Amino acid sequence: MKNIVILISGGGSNMAAIVRAAQRDHWARTLGARVAAVISNRADAAGLAYAREQGIATAVLDHTSFGSREGFDAALAALIDRQDPDGQPALVVLAGFMRVLTPGFVRHFEGRLMNIHPSLLPAFTGLHTHARALAAGCKFAGVTVHLVTAQLDEGPILAQAVVPVLGTDTAQTLAGRVLTQEHLIYSRAIASYLRA
Ligand code: GAR
């Protein structure tokens, strides 16, 4: 079985959409894959309760209890690897995991570390993507799924979706429109990756 480990920091709506897609499309049978665990760097991440309800193993690794970024990332990599009884997981999915990862961590999971970023990369890397798209006068915005490389919000693009920016939009309304697309494309990108 190909094991998927999902990392979250908050609401976990992308994680929930992936779990629903895995159930709806019978990934265990059709892809030989399952969501093995959900890990959060925050104990209060709302998505943890959903994962538990679905019978998925969960774990919390609090980044504030580590003295260095490298120390946290090394512990996180070890924790992720422990979630797969057969060794290292087939895929690590960042779903609203709000941590900048060290080169060592990225190297450890190279080629099987995926991220979703709420902009049309390479535009608007980093934070506050929707406010920045509005301030720039963009007529379209969107979301990107990509493989993670050592450079923040870069790496081979696997999928994108575009939404219109409306004259009445606030960062919040635009974020909502983009999030609806995130929930559609992330599970599709994961399924394509696992099928390849
Ligand atoms: C999503 O919009 C995701 O694209 C974004 O955080 C949100 C998490 O929502 N990720 C980033 O900004 C990463 N740089 P969720 O917890 O409900 O999935």
Side-chain angles (χ1 to χ4, degrees):
M1 187 67 77
K2 296 172 189 161
N3 286 297
I4 303 166
V5 175
I6 305 181
L7 307 190
I8 64 170
S9 293
S13 70
N14 275 291
M15 174 273 298
I18 293 163
V19 169
R20 279 196 301 272
Q23 294 165 348
R24 182 195 63 212
D25 298 336
H26 309 287
W27 282 5
R29 181 164 46 78
T30 57
L31 295 173
R34 65 168 191 146
V35 178
V38 172
I39 298 175
S40 172
N41 64 313
R42 299 178 55 113
D44 61 355
L48 288 170
Y50 175 84
R52 273 187 221 111
E53 280 165 24
Q54 301 305 310
I56 298 169
T58 62
V60 174
L61 191 67
D62 180 0
H63 62 277
T64 62
S65 56
F66 287 81
S68 72
R69 207 172 268 285
E70 286 72 18
F72 172 73
D73 277 12
L76 181 60
L79 179 61
I80 292 170
D81 285 345
R82 278 205 300 279
Q83 304 306 312
D84 191 331
D86 305 326
Q88 296 185 345
L91 183 62
V92 178
V93 171
L94 308 176
F97 187 65
M98 303 308 274
R99 298 273 311 163
V100 174
L101 297 164
T102 54
F105 182 94
V106 174
R107 213 176 304 119
H108 184 79
F109 294 108
E110 195 173 0
R112 53 201 174 92
L113 183 58
M114 210 180 272
N115 183 44
I116 192 160
H117 183 76
S119 78
L120 291 172
L121 291 174
F124 307 122
T125 60
L127 297 174
H128 311 300
T129 53
H130 305 300
R132 288 158 63 206
L134 287 175
C138 293
K139 301 300 180 202
F140 292 92
V143 53
T144 304
V145 176
H146 66 101
L147 287 177
V148 176
T149 59
Q151 210 61 36
L152 180 71
D153 297 332
E154 283 190 16
I157 291 174
L158 301 176
Q160 287 186 311
V162 177
V163 303
V165 177
L166 307 182
T168 51
D169 266 334
T170 61
Q172 212 178 349
T173 58
L174 180 56
R177 194 173 309 120
V178 170
L179 193 61
T180 301
Q181 294 302 314
E182 295 187 34
H183 296 164
L184 295 174
I185 71 165
Y186 212 177
S187 59
R188 282 187 207 147
I190 291 168
S192 299
Y193 172 92
L194 292 170
R195 218 174 276 123

